[in-house]
Amino acid sequence: MTKFREDLKDSVIVVLGASSGFGRGAALKLGRAGAKVVLAARRDNLLSEIENDIRAAGGEAVAAHCDISDAKEVNAVARTAVERYGRIDVWINNVGVGALGLFWDIPVEDQARVIDVNFKGLMFGAHAALLQFRKQGHGVLVNTGSIDSEVPLAYQTTYAATKAAVLSMSRSLNEELRLGGENDSIKVATIMPWAVDTPWWSHAANYTGHQPRMAAMDDPEIVVDAIVKACTDPKEEMPVGAKAHSSNISHHVFPDLTERMSATIADREVKKAGSLPPTTGSIYEPMQEGSGVGGGIRRRMKEEDQARRH
Ligand code: NAP
């Protein structure tokens, strides 16, 4: 019998990476469902906007500025949650930035920054969350990985490696919790989306020479719903949607073929897009652009496809 909360009402939930994309969507849904939400990211103006929206819907939220690559700032988020609400029921480690391009075209410092944010940052978050969970005797850690956690991807080499590291960390943590007899009250889940139309693509550093594209992007709402579900029904691996599920299975059965197919699709897509000068995106400093849940990428891709046909 597990001891995870069955309903979100009055749960204390920390969302790291709450200002746009999945994090924004999940924070709003959780707040409207009655959770007390601690909203963390770098864009304070967006966090205040979400805090106000949750309060206007009758919920409770507090904003906490945080750059996840700094352990002190991550620990301060945990302190804010505990000082304000007395505990942390769920910690959602949702932050992630990308660097698009062939490995040798991406400056090495940008790749190191992706590791600092996507892996070291999530490790800082996991550490802060687990210290609190073990003290209080319960908790759910939700890490946002990717289908790249299972299937490596060309043009996103270092990003995909950080997502594999996130899944590996989550699996080992669940084993350590089992060894300590704590696995019925503390659990680590990994969300594994396919490519999704969010601001992530415009926030990524990009050295491909082209606007970002990917085939058959999913709608962000299915990932937002999976994150919300994981808060009360966490699973170690949570691929989201039909494409992530089939790619995950395919990689277990035919690893080389699946990797080749994914790389070929990424290569074909990237070359179809309009040109873009090299950019570091939001990996070092946040960008005001891309503040919604959706990213408008599918709309642009459709326009590019129509223009190519004429
Ligand atoms: P997004 O809109 O760019 O969301 C990223 C979030 O992380 C934002 O709230 C951003 O806020 C925050 N963030 C970035 N750098 C940060 C830092 N150094 N410190 C603290 N917060 C930081 O894109 P998204 O698609 O929703 O991404 C959410 C997660 O899903 C990421 O882990 C991403 O890798 C993963 N994912 C995305 C896709 C996809 O295709 N979209 C697919 C699979 C997995 P600030 O800029 O305000 O800090």
Side-chain angles (χ1 to χ4, degrees):
M1 187 63 182
T2 57
K3 295 183 204 143
F4 309 120
R5 295 181 70 102
E6 284 174 5
D7 111 49
L8 297 166
K9 187 142 178 49
D10 294 326
S11 290
V12 179
I13 303 187
V14 174
V15 185
L16 273 172
S19 55
S20 62
F22 307 147
R24 184 185 185 109
L28 286 166
K29 274 206 171 154
L30 293 166
R32 287 175 187 147
K36 294 169 175 143
V37 191
V38 181
L39 307 157
R42 297 169 300 174
R43 288 172 293 177
D44 300 322
N45 58 325
L46 299 180
L47 298 181
S48 305
E49 209 175 276
I50 301 163
E51 184 182 351
N52 291 337
D53 285 353
I54 292 175
R55 292 229 167 103
E60 170 61 31
V62 61
H65 178 93
C66 174
D67 185 319
I68 200 172
S69 65
D70 183 337
K72 284 196 224 68
E73 294 192 18
V74 177
N75 290 334
V77 174
R79 265 200 312 280
T80 299
V82 175
E83 279 165 16
R84 188 123 177 169
Y85 302 121
R87 61 179 198 283
I88 300 170
D89 297 309
V90 181
W91 181 289
I92 303 177
N93 251 340
N94 171 67
V95 172
V97 290
L100 307 174
L102 294 170
F103 182 73
W104 37 88
D105 291 338
I106 302 175
V108 77
E109 57 274 20
D110 287 12
Q111 315 218 37
R113 174 68 180 168
V114 170
I115 294 169
D116 283 349
V117 173
N118 293 12
F119 184 59
K120 264 171 83 179
L122 265 67
M123 182 272 289
F124 293 150
H127 203 263
L130 283 158
L131 288 183
Q132 179 60 28
F133 292 169
R134 298 195 65 236
K135 205 184 291 173
Q136 67 194 22
H138 74 275
V140 173
L141 171 62
V142 180
N143 289 325
T144 305
S146 165
I147 190 55
D148 302 0
S149 299
E150 173 61 35
V151 188
L153 187 59
Y155 288 94
Q156 299 190 25
T157 295
T158 298
Y159 172 81
T162 63
K163 292 299 186 180
V166 167
L167 178 58
S168 173
M169 175 176 74
S170 309
R171 285 174 170 148
S172 305
L173 285 174
N174 280 327
E175 290 308 317
E176 291 187 13
L177 291 164
R178 184 182 62 76
L179 292 173
E182 294 166 291
N183 58 323
D184 63 346
S185 51
I186 303 177
K187 176 94 184 172
V188 185
T190 307
I191 306 290
M192 298 165 67
W194 176 258
V196 187
D197 188 355
T198 72
W200 183 90
W201 297 87
S202 325
H203 290 162
N206 189 333
Y207 296 89
T208 62
H210 297 273
Q211 300 271 359
R213 274 184 76 108
M214 184 46 80
M217 281 191 172
D218 274 330
D219 194 85
E221 281 311 314
I222 62 168
V223 183
V224 168
D225 289 343
I227 292 174
V228 170
K229 185 171 169 20
C231 295
T232 52
D233 186 14
K235 302 271 187 309
E236 184 162 272
E237 291 180 37
M238 300 180 72
V240 185
K243 283 161 280 188
H245 271 102
S246 50
S247 185
N248 190 37
I249 293 167
S250 166
H251 191 252
H252 280 92
V253 185
F254 308 111
D256 290 345
L257 179 70
T258 312
E259 286 166 26
R260 275 182 191 218
M261 276 170 58
S262 302
T264 303
I265 293 169
D267 185 54
R268 197 179 302 145
E269 283 297 320
V270 92
K271 289 174 179 159
K272 278 191 207 163
S275 63
L276 183 78
T279 171
T280 55
S282 79
I283 69 172
Y284 298 104
E285 297 297 333
M287 299 160 59
Q288 281 311 315
E289 184 193 312
S291 57
V293 175
I297 311 292
R298 286 175 296 185
R299 193 187 56 234
R300 176 180 46 78
M301 284 169 54
K302 205 165 162 189
E303 286 163 7
E304 284 169 356
D305 292 344
Q306 276 164 355
R308 235 192 344 271
R309 268 190 238 105
H310 292 120

